[in-house]
Amino acid sequence: MSDETLPREAMEFDVLVVGAGPAGLSAAIRLKQLNPELSVCVVEKGSEVGAHILSGAVLEPRALKELFPDCDPGLIPLATPVTADKFLFLLDDKKSVSMPTPPQMHNEGNYIVSLGNVVRWLGQQAEELGVEIYPGFAAAELLVEDGRVVGVATGDMGIGKDGQPTENFQRGMELRATYTVFGEGCRGSLSKQLMSQFKLREQCDPQTYGIGIKELWEIKPEKFQKGLTLHSVGWPLQSDTYGGAAIYHFGENLMAYCFVVGLDYSNPYLSPFQEMQRYKTHPAIAPMFEGAKRISYGARALNEGGFQSLPKLTFPGGVLIGCAAGTLNVPKIKGSHTAMKSAMVAAEAIAAAFAGGKPDEVSAYTDMLKESWVWAELHQVRNIRPGFAKFGLYGGMLNAALETYVFRGKAPWTLHHPHPDNESLKKASICKPIDYPKPDGKLTFDRLSSVFLSNTNHEENQPAHLQLLDPAKAIDINYKLYASPETRYCPAGVYEIVDEDKGAPKLQINAQNCVHCKTCDIKDPTQNINWVVPEGAGGPNYPGGM
């Protein structure tokens, strides 16, 4: 019997939660609040709770206060009450105009937070209630028996690059449960399998995504405006590309800068990372960074499909919650509150299922979510993001104003997302290359020095977790038709064309650089790149400020 066929150890729980993010931990906490006798386990692929959590982030505390009625969000480390909202339209590389902040983006009563610190705090609350949390355990395989999910298996450790067991080989573990809750976040690898295997996306629009790239800066005290939130649209993106920037001042002299590009963009020469860098050179923006020090970097895909793109949320043996399902409110640029609430509703449905005979499928979750404020909130803004895709920046802003002020979310129609993001690229032959300026190393940077700040680490002797389903397509399609867009949309320099000067170009994958953003899994034109989990604890290790 080979090492890979050795039996795996198994652990049994009442409920297993995959992912220790805001949703996963909220589900675990709510379950223990409702029924302390339930055994609840959370597995997390990051080296610690919060290691892979990246966000803007402004927290609307509604769900948190429902989960902990006596909680003061201001006690969470670095949580800073919002004191001012600003909104800019960058007209070109020189001009800008201040505009009224859209109603959905008003932040009175909200907090600028490190989402990593929020989940670290939630993890402490969960453990105090008796939840078992296992960081460094990457859920790599669905366990499905007789058409029902019965848990997950963690990945084998100690597999070499050649796919063979090394002397450090260790079998993964089976984690079995009556119900499994998937809170992997945006484009979770197991959630993607679930949607395919159980046909969860048959009755909804394709999901559409954005990539959010973030830098954390320590700025001069005289430039620090504690509690400031600034959002902008326009330059450097073209009017047919959705996106924008956010700058938040929080903690003590900390400034979070996040730039988002919708992954339905069409020009294969576009580089979200380079757009993010040149944004900082605008005269309205650059002074904020004078004398500042960049201290961290990261990137993560985010769901932008909203209400129309929500899949079926239940299947035999489990449920989808939070960003694994796609509950982000795009116009608000917030998803933690809806993720947490969806998880709490799921927990309430599961607790009721245990009290009522443990049905195969917790279908009550969907009905309960439809009665919650999450459903109403997402429905109200359903037409805003697809409006930008349909009408461009200026038409999208007009549509958003009509939806907000005239129809108030009750328009008698619903706009749709017509196709997934991987189908939106145009051929390179009909697109204009973009001339990006070289980084100066003070305000603007390259990708490799940025990845260094993310503390990304992967065990080198392991199979690449970025898999080409058909290696020939990397050159025959991506290179020849689209000028290898993966070399530009990846914010970590994972993909590189080598030997081009020899007339024999080939794709080199530097998997050790991967910050787990999932952009390649989303944007590859033929869906030829499949992102799977690396060994547990691999990937970025974001500090408390991210």
Side-chain angles (χ1 to χ4, degrees):
M1 186 163 56
S2 70
D3 289 340
E4 291 122 311
T5 58
L6 289 170
R8 292 183 286 214
E9 291 185 23
M11 298 177 68
E12 300 270 353
F13 301 94
D14 291 318
V15 181
L16 173 67
V17 179
V18 180
L25 291 170
S26 295
I29 289 167
R30 189 70 185 124
L31 279 162
K32 294 295 279 188
Q33 288 175 339
L34 293 168
N35 186 346
E37 301 304 313
L38 291 175
S39 59
V40 181
C41 173
V42 179
V43 290
E44 163 57 39
K45 66 182 175 69
S47 60
E48 64 169 351
V49 172
H52 288 178
I53 293 294
L54 181 76
S55 175
V58 172
L59 176 70
E60 183 176 307
R62 183 175 185 177
L64 183 65
K65 289 181 176 179
E66 289 183 9
L67 188 60
F68 296 106
D70 298 325
C71 168
D72 177 3
L75 297 179
I76 296 172
L78 295 183
T80 302
V82 175
T83 58
D85 288 318
K86 294 184 179 179
F87 190 82
L88 284 179
F89 193 132
L90 304 190
L91 301 172
D92 56 26
D93 61 350
K94 297 288 191 295
K95 301 173 185 174
S96 65
V97 59
S98 294
M99 298 181 65
T101 299
Q104 295 91 352
M105 296 165 68
H106 285 172
N107 284 304
E108 183 179 353
N110 295 337
Y111 293 80
I112 304 169
V113 297
S114 157
L115 200 60
N117 282 349
V118 172
V119 298
R120 289 179 180 97
W121 183 86
L122 287 172
Q124 294 170 359
Q125 312 311 309
E127 289 184 324
E128 288 177 8
L129 289 169
V131 176
E132 296 182 48
I133 302 177
Y134 297 122
F137 282 71
E141 179 185 339
L142 293 172
L143 299 179
V144 181
E145 296 175 359
D146 298 323
R148 187 179 195 276
V149 173
V150 295
V152 303
T154 62
D156 293 341
M157 306 285 280
I159 300 289
K161 283 185 177 180
D162 59 1
Q164 298 302 309
T166 69
E167 59 184 14
N168 298 318
F169 178 80
Q170 185 178 343
R171 276 295 258 156
M173 180 176 289
E174 291 188 358
L175 300 163
R176 293 175 166 265
T178 304
Y179 298 113
T180 305
V181 177
F182 291 86
E184 296 177 289
C186 177
R187 195 72 170 195
S189 53
L190 295 185
S191 302
K192 187 173 74 167
Q193 292 179 41
L194 286 165
M195 291 181 196
S196 174
Q197 188 165 343
F198 291 95
K199 298 179 172 56
L200 303 182
R201 302 207 62 87
E202 283 191 335
Q203 303 299 319
C204 65
D205 284 4
Q207 184 60 266
T208 187
Y209 301 87
I211 176 175
I213 309 175
K214 183 180 175 187
E215 293 176 340
L216 183 66
W217 290 71
E218 186 175 356
I219 64 175
K220 285 186 172 182
E222 58 267 29
K223 294 184 178 293
F224 182 63
Q225 302 176 55
K226 192 164 190 172
L228 169 69
T229 73
L230 182 149
H231 297 91
S232 74
V233 295
W235 188 88
L237 297 176
Q238 297 294 311
S239 62
D240 61 351
T241 301
Y242 182 79
I247 293 176
Y248 304 140
H249 290 208
F250 70 113
E252 294 301 327
N253 303 322
L254 292 176
M255 182 172 75
Y257 161 48
C258 185
F259 193 85
V260 176
V261 177
L263 289 178
D264 56 351
Y265 69 82
S266 60
N267 187 345
Y269 291 108
L270 186 145
S271 165
F273 175 85
Q274 299 270 35
E275 299 288 350
M276 186 235 197
Q277 295 303 313
R278 67 174 179 169
Y279 170 87
K280 291 180 288 183
T281 66
H282 195 282
I285 305 300
M288 303 181 199
F289 293 86
E290 288 176 359
K293 179 184 178 182
R294 192 175 68 143
I295 57 179
S296 195
Y297 169 85
R300 189 71 172 92
L302 54 149
N303 303 288
E304 292 187 344
F307 184 80
Q308 297 90 312
S309 298
L310 288 175
K312 185 173 184 289
L313 300 172
T314 64
F315 45 88
V319 300
L320 294 170
I321 59 172
C323 287
T327 57
L328 179 82
N329 183 327
V330 177
K332 275 190 177 182
I333 324 178
K334 296 178 186 66
S336 298
H337 66 300
T338 48
M340 292 174 68
K341 180 61 175 180
S342 73
M344 293 156 61
V345 172
E348 289 159 8
I350 290 171
F354 273 101
K358 294 186 284 190
D360 253 10
E361 189 163 341
V362 190
S363 54
Y365 164 42
T366 303
D367 296 330
M368 293 166 65
L369 193 66
K370 288 180 178 179
E371 296 299 317
S372 75
W373 52 259
V374 169
W375 202 263
E377 181 176 313
L378 295 181
H379 183 268
Q380 186 176 29
V381 298
R382 70 194 183 282
N383 286 331
I384 293 180
R385 173 61 178 94
F388 283 94
K390 187 176 181 66
F391 306 120
L393 176 60
Y394 299 101
M397 291 179 71
L398 177 59
N399 173 71
L402 290 172
E403 286 286 336
T404 302
Y405 296 107
V406 178
F407 297 112
R408 300 185 183 277
K410 297 179 181 179
W413 57 76
T414 295
L415 301 178
H416 291 280
H417 306 288
H419 50 70
D421 295 337
N422 65 291
E423 296 179 5
S424 63
L425 281 180
K426 296 177 180 177
K427 302 289 173 56
S429 60
I430 62 172
C431 293
K432 184 179 179 181
I434 302 173
D435 183 22
Y436 291 110
K438 291 184 178 180
D440 62 15
K442 295 180 181 179
L443 179 63
T444 59
F445 304 89
D446 62 23
R447 284 183 289 187
L448 294 185
S449 64
S450 300
V451 172
F452 178 78
L453 291 178
S454 70
N455 301 307
T456 294
N457 183 61
H458 293 91
E459 171 60 45
E460 287 192 16
N461 188 21
Q462 64 172 303
H465 64 282
L466 301 157
Q467 303 173 344
L468 296 181
L469 302 182
D470 180 355
K473 288 183 177 180
I475 301 302
D476 293 344
I477 294 177
N478 285 28
Y479 178 81
K480 292 182 179 178
L481 299 182
Y482 299 101
S484 297
E486 64 272 27
T487 63
R488 287 175 291 277
Y489 60 59
C490 173
V494 168
Y495 300 97
E496 185 179 1
I497 295 295
V498 298
D499 295 340
E500 192 172 16
D501 56 340
K502 299 176 183 177
K506 61 182 179 181
L507 180 66
Q508 178 173 292
I509 300 178
N510 307 306
Q512 69 275 13
N513 288 2
C514 179
V515 294
H516 296 201
C517 74
K518 310 294 181 67
T519 302
C520 57
D521 193 278
I522 296 164
K523 189 62 175 173
D524 185 78
T526 63
Q527 294 288 272
N528 191 40
I529 300 173
N530 186 41
W531 195 102
V532 299
V533 291
E535 283 192 3
N541 283 279
Y542 296 130
M546 294 297 275

